[in-house]
Amino acid sequence: MATTMIIAEHGGPEMFKPEDREIGDPGAGEIRIRHEAAGLNFIDVYQRTGLYPMELPHALGMEAAGVVEAVGEGVTHLKEGDRAAYASAPPGAYCEARVMPAAQVCKLPDAISFEEGAAMMLKGLTVQYLFHRTTPISKGDTVLFHAAAGGVGLIACQWARDEGIRLIGTAGTDEKCRLAEEHGAETCINYRDEDWPARVRELTDGKGVHVVMDAVGKDTFEGSLNSLRPLGMMISFGNASGPVPPFNIAELGGKGSLKITRPTLFTHIADHATCQEMAGMLMSKVESGAVKIRIDQRFPLTDVAEAHRTLEARKTTGSTVLTM
């Protein structure tokens, strides 16, 4: 038996209920993993509210770390007793243990703790595809990154610094801006106090940035487009403030032949070999110390509702984990 936090209908954080579930044995291509910690991400909020609809009742959670208890037929990259971590569909990481597909589960080096593993997989793999698999970004290029003091943002700040990329961040408080700068942002703009698109233009001598990485959505979309230089790339990869409203695609031409994409991590990691390669790069950066995983909030698994409330109120910095 394992405690699992489920929702039976879409709605607020109060929808979470604990349920004791039989776990069973893994089938072909599956593993059974006992979690030490699970990660918290905005995609969990989107699924809970119904922005990303799903069949209910269902457990939520897309990343976790723990110990492999059993492997099914055909699984060769993992064995019983391995330390492992993952970002993977289907949702279900908010639990003490589960049976799940093995392809996107990755071995976790001894040098990386279970909490770090649970906090870094979805966020770190997201940063990997943003910098390496979405549009060419070269040393010396300038990137604008929103929510730079969040879990993804702090990894992105360090990643950019390690690769010689100039990162301008935004955040909602002076404290969060200082945190982003401590982790590698050249400058971080408090978007509540400044006209941040104008400030971005000022910081780039009027040219604009090469790439915008925007997981905020509705509140920052127009300003993000206005922060790009001609031929720049807008990567819209989240909706923390709400979905981006419809817009006239001709605006991209008028603003300088801009490009725009709306990627998701799970497209990038769908192929087993690609996922393992991406995870290898992420883990190498963490093992080397180039990227440190900052965990600023911890909640017991059964307090996941409070964790969601804190995340939605934008009261978090760095990563948040649920402990078993």
Side-chain angles (χ1 to χ4, degrees):
M1 301 291 287
T3 299
T4 302
M5 301 303 296
I6 66 165
I7 60 169
E9 56 184 299
H10 295 298
E14 70 279 0
M15 293 294 107
F16 285 108
K17 305 294 180 189
E19 182 179 284
D20 288 331
R21 289 185 166 182
E22 292 282 354
I23 304 304
D25 295 320
E30 294 181 331
I31 63 162
R32 185 173 71 238
I33 184 169
R34 185 155 297 273
H35 292 148
E36 295 288 337
L40 182 73
N41 297 282
F42 251 102
I43 189 173
D44 309 346
V45 174
Y46 306 154
Q47 291 169 344
R48 191 203 74 225
T49 61
L51 178 62
Y52 294 176
M54 59 195 303
E55 188 174 327
L56 299 177
H58 211 295
L60 298 187
M62 305 299 292
E63 68 177 344
V67 177
V68 176
E69 290 189 328
V71 300
E73 182 183 353
V75 176
T76 58
H77 70 292
L78 296 166
K79 65 182 185 302
E80 182 181 341
D82 279 348
R83 304 171 81 252
Y86 66 84
S88 179
Y94 292 178
C95 65
E96 293 175 331
R98 69 186 293 202
V99 168
M100 64 179 295
Q104 280 68 47
V105 182
C106 306
K107 288 187 70 171
L108 185 67
D110 291 341
I112 302 175
S113 72
F114 287 118
E115 286 195 356
E116 289 171 325
M120 73 184 229
M121 293 299 288
L122 190 146
K123 303 168 191 69
L125 291 174
T126 295
V127 173
Q128 199 279 343
Y129 86 67
L130 289 173
F131 281 89
H132 290 275
R133 294 177 53 85
T134 307
T135 190
I137 303 175
S138 302
K139 185 175 181 178
D141 284 353
T142 303
V143 167
L144 173 63
F145 200 101
H146 292 297
V152 179
L154 291 183
I155 294 173
C157 289
Q158 296 173 84
W159 199 289
R161 178 174 60 190
D162 187 53
E163 299 193 349
I165 295 162
R166 182 188 185 198
L167 187 145
I168 299 170
T170 71
T173 68
D174 290 342
E175 180 184 14
K176 287 185 175 183
C177 283
R178 285 193 295 272
L179 189 60
E181 290 170 355
E182 289 168 4
H183 283 74
E186 180 184 281
T187 305
C188 189
I189 305 164
N190 185 335
Y191 63 79
R192 299 187 191 279
D193 292 346
E194 291 193 66
D195 179 349
W196 57 266
R199 179 68 173 141
V200 169
R201 287 286 171 183
E202 181 183 327
L203 289 167
T204 57
D205 298 323
K207 297 176 181 178
V209 300
H210 296 87
V211 181
V212 176
M213 299 176 180
D214 186 344
V216 175
K218 176 174 63 69
D219 290 353
T220 51
F221 182 74
E222 185 175 354
S224 291
L225 291 181
N226 291 336
S227 299
L228 284 164
R229 64 180 59 200
L231 304 178
M233 168 65 85
M234 167 72 169
I235 307 174
S236 176
F237 69 104
N239 319 282
S241 66
V244 173
F247 78 105
N248 182 356
I249 197 170
E251 291 182 29
L252 300 178
K255 292 179 184 293
S257 300
L258 303 181
K259 295 163 282 189
I260 186 167
T261 184
R262 192 4 177 139
T264 68
L265 171 63
F266 299 102
T267 306
H268 285 278
I269 64 172
D271 176 72
H272 167 71
T274 300
C275 177
Q276 300 296 320
E277 180 183 348
M278 291 170 64
M281 177 182 284
L282 168 62
M283 290 177 184
S284 292
K285 284 189 180 287
V286 175
E287 285 189 284
S288 73
V291 171
K292 293 180 171 61
I293 306 302
R294 182 177 175 125
I295 301 169
D296 287 342
Q297 299 79 214
R298 293 171 174 83
F299 295 85
L301 174 65
T302 50
D303 284 351
V304 65
E306 187 58 29
H308 273 237
R309 291 186 187 100
T310 304
L311 180 64
E312 289 181 276
R314 301 192 188 184
K315 293 180 179 178
T316 64
T317 54
S319 296
T320 302
V321 296
L322 305 173
T323 57
M324 303 300 142

